[in-house]
Amino acid sequence: VYYDVTNYYFETDTVDDLRKKGASKEHRPNPIVQMGLFIDNLGIPITFELFPGNTNDCLTFRPGLSRIQKEYDLGKIIVVADKGMTTGDNIHYTLSGKHGYVFSMSVRGVDKTFKQYVMDETGYTWYGKEYKRKSRLYPRTIQVTARNGKKLRKVVDEKQVIFYSEKYAKKAKADRDKTIAKAMDIIGSPGKYSRATSFGASGYIKNIHFDKETGEIVSPQKVLKLDAEKIKAEEALDGYYAIVTSEYKASDDHIIDMYRGLWRIEESFRVTKSDLEARPVYVSREEHIHAHFLTCFIALTIARIIEYKLDHKYSIGRILESLSKSECTHMKQNYYLFDYFDDILHDIGRVFQIDFAKRVRSLGEIKKIFAATKKG
């Protein structure tokens, strides 16, 4: 199963117990709500949870996994997630439930010994001229929070897969160049920016501080400097990725293939935000917010099932567009004219036994179709 977190913004400045100011994916100043989503390896949603907008991403993982354990009889599951979930508490919780994990890990955030292993050319196998890979079985020490709040050190036996991609390295450099250019503009004109609008670029600026209330930059312009040492250290690790997993018997190819499946959940978030119009959110009462996202979750699940039954021949956006055009006009008495038909409706009709090609139907026929779908 795959897990990730995103957030949705509200068209308001009002904050409450659920709508909070936080790190918006769109870098907007509006209050947001966090959503944690689990999907299966077919891309079909399993469950979701809502959290206040200021909740750290890594803290959303365990409630959702707990819900899966209690409500679904899935046996052992292997959870695949991005580096935001790679904490000692999440790993320990997963293993305690006798499940497995495939998590990415930031090579910039690992300890010195791990970085040395990443940068050491020994053991790498090149595949072509732009990609190399190596792996090892290694006991890694993690920190786990006890019930009394104390940090305990535990050792997990895991496989660590390291790979380097020239393509990713070039992309990282291009992205950083844009961020550095923005950082230079902040240094030159700090009054133009705030905590929200300087997101990302402020990490490359020394001595930068923000007002806790307004988010405005309070550091004098003359003390702001570009952090050249940090930039140099990051450049050395461009293109390198690390995956850590409990599934140490699995091949490197299988582990990487599992991790690459994360694109499905990223696409699911894109579908909810664009095609299903989950954001911006206009409702304000907490029960209405939950109802809004439950509706979006159900719609996403239905859309994914249709997409799967059509063998992924069409995107969800195209499927929704065709279905929305399948309308009828009242002609006379109890007869209705259906004036739109295309290949997508033909395929949907074939799978779900509905003849979308028929142009004229009586009210009785339409009611029979609805009755049949309810029985199904």
Side-chain angles (χ1 to χ4, degrees):
V1 303
Y2 294 88
Y3 182 74
D4 204 355
V5 179
T6 193
N7 48 56
Y8 299 83
Y9 67 88
F10 291 76
E11 281 292 345
T12 181
D13 292 325
T14 303
V15 297
D16 51 33
D17 291 342
L18 189 58
R19 297 176 295 176
K20 298 282 189 182
K21 295 290 182 71
S24 167
K25 301 293 183 182
E26 288 81 22
H27 312 308
R28 297 177 66 97
N30 310 64
I32 57 175
V33 63
Q34 298 274 70
M35 174 190 282
L37 177 67
F38 277 94
I39 67 171
D40 67 13
N41 57 358
L42 298 177
I44 298 174
I46 300 172
T47 190
F48 78 100
E49 295 276 346
L50 291 183
F51 302 89
N54 59 355
T55 305
N56 192 305
D57 286 1
C58 67
L59 299 178
T60 68
F61 174 79
R62 296 189 293 278
L65 183 57
S66 174
R67 186 171 179 178
I68 288 179
Q69 290 174 311
K70 293 176 182 177
E71 298 183 8
Y72 304 93
D73 185 18
L74 298 181
K76 177 184 176 179
I77 61 175
I78 300 171
V79 184
V80 184
D82 229 330
K83 56 182 177 290
M85 302 303 132
T86 313
T87 66
D89 287 339
N90 287 344
I91 288 174
H92 183 258
Y93 186 87
T94 303
L95 295 176
S96 297
K98 302 192 182 303
H99 301 303
Y101 63 89
V102 175
F103 290 162
S104 68
M105 177 177 281
S106 171
V107 293
R108 295 185 175 90
V110 298
D111 60 33
K112 184 178 179 181
T113 303
F114 202 136
K115 282 183 181 177
Q116 288 174 342
Y117 174 68
V118 171
M119 300 301 294
D120 186 354
E121 284 295 320
T122 305
Y124 276 110
T125 300
W126 282 92
Y127 299 84
K129 296 181 179 180
E130 296 188 344
Y131 179 84
K132 63 181 178 180
R133 186 178 75 207
K134 68 177 178 179
S135 66
R136 66 178 180 178
L137 301 180
Y138 197 80
R140 187 166 62 91
T141 301
I142 61 174
Q143 284 198 333
V144 179
T145 307
R147 291 186 177 181
N148 60 6
K150 290 186 177 180
K151 295 291 185 179
L152 305 177
R153 295 166 64 88
K154 293 185 178 292
V155 176
V156 293
D157 295 318
E158 65 183 12
K159 187 173 190 178
Q160 299 168 351
V161 181
I162 315 298
F163 60 93
Y164 170 86
S165 166
E166 184 70 24
K167 177 182 175 182
Y168 291 156
K170 290 177 180 177
K171 182 180 184 302
K173 185 181 185 308
D175 291 343
R176 186 184 301 102
D177 287 345
K178 292 179 183 177
T179 307
I180 291 173
K182 183 177 178 180
M184 293 298 294
D185 192 52
I186 294 171
I187 292 172
S189 306
K192 290 166 46 180
Y193 294 88
S194 65
R195 182 191 298 274
T197 57
S198 64
F199 183 83
S202 61
Y204 290 139
I205 302 174
K206 286 184 175 181
N207 308 318
I208 190 167
H209 299 286
F210 301 93
D211 186 284
K212 292 182 179 179
E213 298 295 327
T214 66
E216 294 178 349
I217 297 175
V218 294
S219 303
Q221 182 178 348
K222 62 182 179 181
V223 304
L224 298 179
K225 296 180 181 179
L226 198 65
D227 194 339
E229 293 180 2
K230 181 177 181 180
I231 292 171
K232 184 178 180 181
E234 288 195 0
E235 285 176 343
L237 293 167
D238 281 352
Y240 286 94
Y241 283 78
I243 300 174
V244 295
T245 178
S246 59
E247 307 309 294
Y248 54 85
K249 293 183 180 180
S251 68
D252 293 355
D253 284 334
H254 184 50
I255 291 167
I256 292 172
D257 283 344
M258 280 193 285
Y259 178 72
R260 283 177 176 160
L262 266 175
W263 71 269
R264 289 189 179 278
I265 200 163
E266 293 168 358
E267 187 202 28
S268 292
F269 287 140
R270 182 193 61 76
V271 167
T272 62
K273 292 182 176 183
S274 56
D275 298 319
L276 299 179
E277 300 178 2
R279 58 103 204 256
V281 189
Y282 295 98
V283 292
S284 57
R285 292 170 59 180
E286 188 165 327
E287 60 267 33
H288 293 172
I289 294 171
H290 282 278
H292 170 75
F293 286 107
L294 177 59
T295 303
C296 294
F297 175 82
I298 294 170
L300 175 64
T301 303
I302 294 171
R304 281 294 191 206
I305 291 171
I306 295 173
E307 181 188 43
Y308 171 73
K309 286 183 174 290
L310 296 179
D311 298 321
H312 298 277
K313 187 177 179 181
Y314 310 104
S315 69
I316 287 180
R318 292 185 64 195
I319 291 170
L320 294 177
E321 183 180 2
S322 290
L323 287 173
S324 68
K325 290 180 179 178
S326 182
E327 298 177 327
C328 62
T329 304
H330 183 232
M331 295 172 57
K332 60 181 180 179
Q333 296 178 335
N334 288 328
Y335 288 93
Y336 293 81
L337 173 66
F338 291 81
D339 54 6
Y340 183 81
F341 183 70
D342 62 12
D343 291 340
I344 298 177
L345 291 177
H346 172 269
D347 289 347
I348 293 175
R350 173 179 49 80
V351 171
F352 294 96
Q353 289 82 51
I354 300 173
D355 184 8
F356 284 98
K358 190 170 181 179
R359 299 197 66 196
V360 178
R361 292 185 186 275
S362 68
L363 181 60
E365 289 179 277
I366 296 171
K367 287 183 176 180
K368 283 183 179 179
I369 292 173
F370 282 127
T373 61
K374 291 176 181 177
K375 289 180 182 177

